[in-house]
Amino acid sequence: MDTPPLSDSESEESLVSDRELQDAFSRGLLKPGLNVVLERPKKAVNDVNGLKQCLAEFKRDLEWVERLDVTLGPVPDVSEPQPTPQNKDQKKGVNPEDDFQREMSFYRQAQAAVLAVLPRLHQLQVPTKRPTDYFAEMAKSDQQMQKIRQKLQTKQAAMEKSEKAKQLRALRKYGKKVQTEVLQKRQREKAHMMNAIKKYQKGFSDKLDFLDGDQKPAERGAKARAKGQQMSKGPNAKRRYKNQKFGFGGKKKGSKWNTRESYDDVSSFRAKVAHGKGPRKPGKKGANKRPGKRTRQKMKSRTR
């Protein structure tokens, strides 16, 4: 209900009253305790008929399947010691200030109720498991769940990307470390070889092990032993087989010397070739011409 607007006279009276109250407060005329709210004692109402009606509504004669109410204590804790006749009457209470103990008591009481109710429901042939084709509407819409899924996927992709970046940085550090180690090893080997060469040049050492390169001492020793055994035993099996099959290849030294048979054999003699009457080879004209007198004298002076 709307209040009617105040007239000019009423507004002036309200202003005057407010001013009077302010003046009285400034003068100290207004003191606490002048306006006191009196509290009356509550009147107790004993509505017997209403209480009986409420009790009748609560106390319905329904079957247990419709009510599903059980009153049980918590399941006994296995970790606690078994009760003895001495401490059987002493029940350990739950500390309400301890969150874990309070929640654990709720959990154990619910567990006791489930253990007591399940056989009863099976006896009454009440299904207790959700069917395979059960469809329930989600509390959140599909669009909201899609947004959440996209956000999780984005977060997971960012985490994977950062993890790959960390691995790449670690690999780069390891690669640089390996590269520096290889370069330092090469520098040490080069310095060692240069020192060995200088010692060999100055005659301080007669060993040529530095020519083997990157071979390890064990490999060099095995190679030297194998070579010594081969030289002591003679040619290898392949060489011996070829010598047996093809022979030794004949005499090499003095193969161009004349013998009696080659001296008497004149079958390859050609008179035209011997006297220069055959076809000449193309070349400089007068190449076989005898040098002149002045040239011969110069040659003789040079030889002297």
Side-chain angles (χ1 to χ4, degrees):
M1 182 176 180
D2 297 335
T3 58
L6 297 174
S7 61
D8 296 337
S9 60
E10 291 178 353
S11 61
E12 289 177 358
E13 289 178 357
S14 64
L15 289 172
V16 170
S17 62
D18 291 340
R19 288 174 183 174
E20 289 177 354
L21 289 173
Q22 290 176 0
D23 294 338
F25 181 75
S26 62
R27 293 173 187 173
L29 298 176
L30 294 178
K31 295 181 180 179
L34 294 178
N35 299 325
V36 179
V37 179
L38 298 177
E39 294 183 359
R40 297 179 180 179
K42 293 182 179 180
K43 185 179 179 180
V45 178
N46 188 11
D47 191 0
V48 179
N49 295 328
L51 293 174
K52 287 183 178 180
Q53 185 179 357
C54 291
L55 182 62
E57 290 178 359
F58 291 153
K59 193 176 181 181
R60 291 182 178 179
D61 295 333
L62 298 175
E63 297 182 359
W64 179 82
V65 179
E66 299 293 335
R67 293 181 286 110
L68 293 177
D69 55 344
V70 288
T71 305
L72 294 171
V75 175
D77 193 358
V78 181
S79 61
E80 293 181 356
Q82 295 295 330
T84 57
Q86 289 79 10
N87 60 3
K88 188 174 182 180
D89 297 335
Q90 299 177 358
K91 293 184 179 180
K92 188 178 180 181
V94 179
N95 184 11
E97 300 297 332
D98 191 352
D99 296 340
F100 178 76
Q101 192 175 2
R102 185 176 65 250
E103 296 296 331
M104 198 66 191
S105 66
F106 294 158
Y107 171 76
R108 287 167 55 196
Q109 190 171 5
Q111 188 179 8
V114 170
L115 293 175
V117 167
L118 272 179
R120 200 168 176 181
L121 291 173
H122 292 163
Q123 188 177 2
L124 296 173
Q125 297 181 357
V126 177
T128 57
K129 292 184 179 181
R130 182 181 296 177
T132 55
D133 57 347
Y134 181 78
F135 177 76
E137 186 177 357
M138 302 294 291
K140 295 183 179 180
S141 62
D142 293 342
Q143 295 179 355
Q144 183 70 15
M145 295 302 296
Q146 191 70 21
K147 290 181 181 178
I148 294 171
R149 190 178 295 107
Q150 289 178 358
K151 189 174 182 180
L152 290 174
Q153 288 177 355
T154 306
K155 190 175 181 180
Q156 187 176 3
M159 291 176 63
E160 291 178 355
K161 190 175 180 180
S162 63
E163 191 68 25
K164 287 182 180 179
K166 288 180 182 178
Q167 291 179 0
L168 285 174
R169 284 196 294 269
L171 288 173
R172 285 173 185 169
K173 289 182 181 178
Y174 182 73
K176 288 181 179 178
K177 183 179 178 182
V178 172
Q179 187 177 5
T180 53
E181 289 179 356
V182 170
L183 292 175
Q184 290 175 0
K185 184 180 178 182
R186 288 179 181 174
Q187 290 177 358
R188 288 195 299 269
E189 291 177 353
K190 186 177 180 180
H192 178 70
M193 182 178 288
M194 294 301 294
N195 292 332
I197 291 172
K198 288 180 181 178
K199 288 181 181 179
Y200 181 78
Q201 288 176 349
K202 293 179 180 180
F204 296 124
S205 176
D206 57 347
K207 296 181 180 179
L208 298 174
D209 296 340
F210 58 88
L211 297 177
D212 293 339
D214 297 335
Q215 291 184 359
K216 297 180 180 179
E219 295 179 358
R220 289 199 295 267
K223 190 174 181 180
R225 286 195 299 271
K227 189 174 181 181
Q229 292 177 0
Q230 183 178 356
M231 291 178 66
S232 61
K233 292 181 181 178
N236 55 9
K238 187 176 180 180
R239 183 71 265 171
R240 290 197 298 270
Y241 174 75
K242 287 187 176 181
N243 291 340
Q244 183 180 0
K245 185 175 181 180
F246 303 107
F248 292 97
K251 187 178 179 182
K252 301 294 187 296
K253 190 175 182 181
S255 59
K256 295 184 179 181
W257 290 357
N258 281 332
T259 59
R260 184 181 294 274
E261 290 80 8
S262 65
Y263 180 77
D264 294 337
D265 186 12
V266 291
S267 58
S268 61
F269 177 75
R270 298 290 183 270
K272 292 182 180 181
V273 177
H275 299 292
K277 295 180 180 180
R280 295 184 179 180
K281 294 181 180 180
K284 193 174 179 180
K285 187 176 181 182
N288 297 327
K289 189 177 179 181
R290 184 182 180 186
K293 185 177 180 181
R294 184 178 291 181
T295 306
R296 288 199 305 271
Q297 288 178 356
K298 287 181 180 180
M299 291 173 67
K300 286 180 181 180
S301 63
R302 287 176 184 175
T303 55
R304 291 176 184 175

